């Protein structure tokens, strides 16, 4: 389970997709782009499996955090 902000990333003109940036500043790519889209720019909790070698979260669920 990771908490952080859901953001999209661009590399110049290339779309890199939605990522999760945690409170330490670590960025994780999300495999469930369609689940992440409604949460763009919001604080979220992601539940799933982390592939630490690839910095990839296999998201089972994404929930908005209470304000």
């Amino acid at each position: 389970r990771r908490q952080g902000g859901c953001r999209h990333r661009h590399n110049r003109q290339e779309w890199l997709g939605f990522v999760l940036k945690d409170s330490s500043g670590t960025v994780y790519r999300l495999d469930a782009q369609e689940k992440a889209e409604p949460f763009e720019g919001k604080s979220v909790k992601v539940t799933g499996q982390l592939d630490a070698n690839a910095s990839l979260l296999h998201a089972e669920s994404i929930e908005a955090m209470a304000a």
Side-chain angles (χ1 to χ4, degrees), residues 5-8 10 15 18 36-44:
C6 190
R7 307 205 184 287
H8 65 274
H10 291 275
W15 165 254
F18 288 98
E37 187 173 6
F39 300 100
E40 180 178 356
K42 298 179 181 173
S43 293
V44 296

Side-chain angles (χ1 to χ4, degrees), residues 1 5 8-9 13 15 21 28 36 39-40 50 53 58:
R1 190 183 302 170
H8 65 274
R9 282 241 155 141
Q13 299 298 323
W15 165 254
K21 183 176 181 181
Y28 302 95
F39 300 100
E40 180 178 356
L50 172 63
N53 292 330
H58 301 284

Side-chain angles (χ1 to χ4, degrees), residues 18-32:
F18 288 98
V19 297
L20 180 82
K21 183 176 181 181
D22 70 13
S23 60
S24 72
T26 303
V27 174
Y28 302 95
R29 293 181 299 125
L30 295 169
D31 69 344

